[in-house]
Amino acid sequence: MRRRVLPAPLVLSLAATGCIDALDQEQSTLGERTRDCVVPLPEGVEELGAPVSLEYPGKSLWLWSNAAAFVDQASALCSDGPDLFRDGDGAPTPLFALDSDELASNVARDDGRRLELVAVGGFSHEDTGYLFYEHRLQGPGFFDSELLGTGLCVLDPGEERCERLRRNASSVLWGPEQRFLNSGGVVVSERALVFGCRRVADFLRVCTMTGAPLDALTDPTSYQPYDYFHGWVDDPLAASVVIEELGSVTVSLARDGYLATTLDPFDGHVYVSLSEDLLSRQFSRRLDVFATPLPESGLAIGGREHSGLRDDPNELHVSYVTDRPGAAGLHLASFRFFGKFGGHFQ
Amino acid sequence: VIGLATALFSAGLGAPAGDGSVEFLGFAREISRGWSASRDTPAMTMTIFARPGAMGGGELSFLAVRFPDFTLRNGFAGFIELEHDSETSRVNSGPMPSGDGKILWRGSYAYQAALALDTLGRRLCPDCALELALQYRHESQHYTGSNNGDSGLEDVSVQPYVGDAVLGDVASSQHVGSWYFAERLLGMWYLPERSSYDAGFGADLHARWLVLPRAHPFVSLYGEQRFGGELIGRHYPDAYRLRALLGIALPSWLGDVLVYASGDVGHRYGVRILTEEATLGLGVRLALGTTP
C-alpha cells in the first residue's frame, strides 16, 4: 500500500494555529458631528469661558460672569462670535450683579472672603427668563467656596438685565440644602421642572428634579422636589434621583420625551440619556455621542446643551472649553442624530 | 414559508406512503451546507483554536417530496454557539478547550425550503446537482453573566444586531475526476427595523479529493459582505468575513467528521462584530449530508 502524507499547507496551518491578529476596531454611530468651531472673541474680550445658558424657543441666552448674549444661530456664532450686551460705553455687561450693599460688604470684609453671585441655569417661559444663581462666599484660597443659598433672577422680554427677586429683603430664596436648582430646567405642561445636582460621595453626583406651577414661578415656596412614589414633596432629600453624572447635566425636550446631555469630565465625551416620562422613571443609561478634546489640565470643561439653537429635533449643540494648542477657546459642537434616534427608548 | 410548508405537508400526506415519493425526517438539502467554511453553518462543532468554542446545531428537513424532475424539502436549521472572548489557554474537564474571560454566545434558528432541480442538474452533467433554497433566519447575540456575581461585559448595545433576515441561495455540485466540488451563492436581505444590516451576499466553495474512500482531503472557502444599516437611530458599519478550512473529511452514510485548520480574516461574530481580525485555528465538525 502506498504511503500518503498530509499536504504541506495543512501541516503549516496546524503548526501556526492559535494565532489572533487584531486588525481594527470599528464603531457604530448615533449620527454625525456637523460642526465644531472655536467661537470668535467679541471686541474687547480676551477670553470666553464655558457659558451657562437659558434656552428659549429659537434662541439661547449665554451667560458668563461678566457678560451675556443672545445666540440664535449656531453658524453665526461660529463666524462672528456672540453679540454681547453692552453698556453706553460699549463695555460688556452681565445679566445681573452685586448690589451696592453687597459691594460695600465685600469691601468691608477683612477675612479674605468675598460674596460672589454665580449663575447656574434656569428656564424660559413665555419669553421671560428665570435664572437661578448661587450666593457664594469665595476665598481666601482659590478653591475655598461656601454656598450660602440660591436666588432667582427674572429677565423680562426685551431686557438685558434681570431682576433679582427678594424675600424679606434677602435675595437668598432657598438655603443651601433646601432646594437643588443648579442644572437648568424645562417647562412641561403646567409646570416648570428644574434640575439640581449635588455631590453625595466621591465620584457620585446625583441629580433630582424640583417643580413649580407656571402661575407661581416667582414664589419660592411653590418649588417642590419630586419623588416617584409620593409625587411633589417638601423634603429635598426625599426627591428621587433622575440621573447620576459627574459632569454638567442639561435636560431638554426631545421628540419622544426628554434628553439629558452631559460632558464627562474625565473622558471628554458627550453623552445623552433618554426618558419617556420624567414623572415615572429615571433617565436611561447614557449613550456615547461624540468626543471633545480634553484640556491639558485633564478635565473637560463646560458641556451645556443649547436646545434653543436646534433647527430640527435631531440636532444637538454643546458648548465646551479646551486649551489644546491650535484649538484653544470656547467651542460650539453640533451633532445631528440619525432620523430615528429617540424613536425607541432603550 | 408557512404556505409552502402547508403545501408540502398536504402533498406529502396525500401521496402513497410506500412509493418513495415522500420522506419525513431527512437531510435538509441535496447539496449539504455542512461542509461550508462559514461560521454560520449549523452543525455540531468544537473549535479548539484560536478561541475555544462549541456549537450545538444542525439542519434537517421535516418533509421531502420527490417529484419526477425535482425534490422539495422544508425544514429547520438552528444552532447555539459558545465562544470564549480570549484565546485558548487550557483544557477544562470534559475535556474541552477553555480560556480566560467571558463566554460569548449567539443563537440562530431558520425555517427553510429547498428545491433540488434533479433533472436540470443531470442535464448539466451526469453527476451534477442543482438546488435553490430560501430561509427565514433569526440570529441574536449575547454573553454570559458571571457565576461569581461580578459584573459582566461592558455595554454591548453599540454592537450590531444581526436580527431577522431572508436568505436565498443557489448551489451546484459536480464530480471532476476524483474531485468533488460544491458551490453556493447567497443573497441576504435583512428586515427593516429588525437588524443592524440592510443586505449582504456571500459565496461558498467546497472541494474534496475522493481518492481515498475513508478520508477525503478537502478545502472550503467562504466569503461574505454585509452592508450596515440603521437600527433605532444608530448606524452600523459594513462587515465582511473571509474564511478557509483545510482538512480531512471522514465520511459515513450520515455525513462527515471534518477535522480542519482554519484561517479567518474579517469581522468577528456575536457581540464582537465590530472587531476586525485575522486568526488561524483548529476545529472539528460533525457535518450532516453526503456526497453523491
Side-chain angles (χ1 to χ4, degrees):
Chain A
M1 184 177 174
R2 194 162 57 123
R3 281 187 63 194
R4 297 185 183 275
V5 295
L6 292 174
L10 176 57
V11 176
L12 290 174
S13 295
L14 289 169
T17 55
C19 173
I20 299 175
D21 184 15
L23 300 177
D24 195 12
Q25 182 64 48
E26 297 177 332
Q27 303 290 331
S28 57
T29 52
L30 290 168
E32 58 182 349
R33 182 157 36 182
T34 55
R35 174 188 296 111
D36 191 341
C37 74
V38 178
V39 176
L41 291 174
E43 185 180 336
V45 174
E46 294 184 354
E47 182 181 4
L48 284 177
V52 168
S53 67
L54 291 188
E55 302 305 320
Y56 289 71
K59 62 183 179 182
S60 178
L61 176 59
W62 288 27
L63 306 165
W64 296 270
S65 59
N66 53 5
F70 273 113
V71 177
D72 57 8
Q73 290 280 336
S75 56
L77 180 73
C78 286
S79 59
D80 305 327
D83 184 12
L84 299 180
F85 298 164
R86 295 180 186 272
D87 62 18
D89 299 328
T93 58
L95 203 65
F96 62 95
L98 294 170
D99 61 26
S100 55
D101 289 343
E102 290 163 338
L103 288 169
S105 176
N106 272 351
V107 170
R109 297 189 77 106
D110 60 2
D111 58 358
R113 310 178 81 184
R114 65 197 178 281
L115 176 67
E116 288 189 4
L117 306 180
V118 181
V120 291
F123 60 90
S124 69
H125 175 57
E126 293 183 342
D127 215 25
T128 298
Y130 297 83
L131 173 68
F132 298 93
Y133 64 96
E134 292 178 344
H135 295 67
R136 286 191 168 274
L137 269 184
Q138 308 281 26
F142 183 78
F143 293 106
D144 296 332
S145 180
E146 180 187 350
L147 175 63
L148 301 178
T150 303
L152 176 61
C153 199
V154 177
L155 180 65
D156 290 327
E159 298 294 322
E160 294 187 353
R161 297 280 286 191
C162 64
E163 181 187 355
R164 293 170 56 195
L165 299 188
R166 296 175 189 277
R167 189 184 186 203
N168 300 328
S170 171
S171 58
V172 175
L173 305 182
W174 299 278
E177 296 288 321
Q178 192 176 355
R179 293 291 181 266
F180 302 103
L181 304 162
N182 61 2
S183 293
V186 292
V187 172
V188 178
S189 186
E190 297 301 312
R191 199 177 286 266
L193 305 178
V194 185
F195 300 87
C197 303
R198 65 186 191 277
R199 176 177 173 269
V200 293
D202 261 357
F203 300 104
L204 181 57
R205 189 166 172 267
V206 300
C207 303
T208 55
M209 182 170 68
T210 299
L214 294 180
D215 58 3
L217 294 176
T218 56
D219 177 3
T221 63
S222 71
Y223 286 77
Q224 290 181 294
Y226 188 74
D227 171 14
Y228 291 137
F229 299 104
H230 302 102
W232 302 104
V233 297
D234 289 323
D235 180 5
L237 299 182
S240 299
V241 174
V242 295
I243 194 169
E244 295 175 16
E245 286 292 351
L246 294 174
S248 68
V249 172
T250 312
V251 176
S252 62
L253 301 178
R255 189 173 51 192
D256 296 319
Y258 306 90
L259 190 71
T261 305
T262 188
L263 174 64
D264 188 294
F266 295 104
D267 69 10
H269 284 230
V270 172
Y271 295 88
V272 296
S273 305
L274 300 160
S275 172
E276 275 181 280
D277 181 7
L278 287 174
L279 299 183
S280 64
R281 67 189 66 176
Q282 282 190 323
F283 280 95
S284 67
R285 61 184 172 71
R286 65 188 194 174
L287 306 172
D288 191 350
V289 182
F290 64 90
T292 67
L294 276 174
E296 297 200 324
S297 64
L299 293 177
I301 302 169
R304 297 279 178 160
E305 188 247 327
H306 307 289
S307 58
L309 299 181
R310 293 180 194 164
D311 289 328
D312 72 57
N314 288 335
E315 283 187 338
L316 190 76
H317 301 277
V318 176
S319 58
Y320 70 93
V321 168
T322 186
D323 57 3
R324 289 278 173 183
L330 170 62
H331 285 239
L332 178 68
S334 303
F335 187 88
R336 181 181 295 277
F337 291 105
F338 293 123
K340 292 165 188 166
F341 175 77
H344 301 75
F345 290 88
Q346 298 177 23
Chain B
V1 172
I2 293 171
L4 180 59
T6 305
L8 286 170
F9 268 107
S10 302
L13 293 174
D19 65 357
S21 65
V22 176
E23 300 165 9
F24 285 107
L25 188 64
F27 294 138
R29 294 164 183 250
E30 183 75 20
I31 304 169
S32 172
R33 272 202 306 165
W35 314 313
S36 169
S38 169
R39 272 190 51 186
D40 286 337
T41 304
M44 305 294 286
T45 305
M46 177 190 287
T47 303
I48 302 165
F49 295 111
R51 295 184 176 87
M55 174 188 284
E59 60 177 339
L60 292 163
S61 72
F62 301 141
L63 182 73
V65 183
R66 295 189 184 278
F67 295 94
D69 294 329
F70 59 89
T71 303
L72 267 173
R73 294 176 174 86
N74 73 334
F76 173 84
F79 67 74
I80 290 179
E81 182 191 54
L82 303 176
E83 182 187 55
H84 277 263
D85 203 16
S86 60
E87 291 187 60
T88 304
S89 59
R90 61 177 179 269
V91 177
N92 273 356
S93 59
M96 284 285 286
S98 185
D100 298 324
K102 302 293 188 293
I103 298 177
L104 316 178
W105 65 278
R106 61 190 182 116
S108 170
Y109 59 82
Y111 301 102
Q112 60 185 24
L115 174 65
L117 303 170
D118 305 320
T119 300
L120 183 59
R122 283 192 295 272
R123 281 183 192 162
L124 297 175
C125 69
D127 294 320
C128 287
L130 197 59
E131 188 170 44
L132 307 174
L134 190 67
Q135 59 176 307
Y136 178 87
R137 180 179 185 272
H138 170 85
E139 179 183 326
S140 56
Q141 58 269 33
H142 313 270
Y143 62 92
T144 55
S146 167
N147 290 350
N148 299 320
D150 47 57
S151 60
L153 282 179
E154 72 282 2
D155 180 6
V156 296
S157 64
V158 300
Q159 296 283 335
Y161 173 64
V162 176
D164 299 333
V166 174
L167 282 69
D169 67 75
V170 54
S172 64
S173 68
Q174 59 282 141
H175 290 263
V176 178
S178 57
W179 286 84
Y180 171 80
F181 295 94
E183 310 87 17
R184 191 182 310 276
L185 293 174
L186 302 95
M188 312 163 191
W189 176 69
Y190 293 88
L191 274 61
E193 305 295 322
R194 303 292 295 274
S195 174
S196 301
Y197 298 99
D198 289 339
F201 62 88
D204 215 344
L205 172 67
H206 172 75
R208 67 167 66 194
W209 195 22
L210 303 174
V211 67
L212 290 176
R214 305 295 296 274
H216 301 160
F218 75 92
V219 60
S220 294
L221 305 172
Y222 177 76
E224 71 171 30
Q225 171 77 32
R226 294 181 186 180
F227 301 104
E230 184 184 325
L231 180 65
I232 317 179
R234 184 176 287 275
H235 191 87
Y236 297 87
D238 297 347
Y240 77 96
R241 280 109 179 201
L242 300 171
R243 191 165 194 242
L245 306 182
L246 181 66
I248 301 291
L250 308 174
S252 77
W253 62 271
L254 184 60
D256 296 291
V257 177
L258 304 179
V259 181
Y260 55 82
S262 64
D264 297 72
V265 177
H267 292 87
R268 289 182 64 182
Y269 288 77
V271 297
R272 298 293 192 211
I273 303 181
L274 294 176
T275 302
E276 189 182 344
E277 65 180 18
T279 72
L280 292 173
L282 184 68
V284 180
R285 180 190 297 170
L286 311 182
L288 298 179
T290 59
T291 55

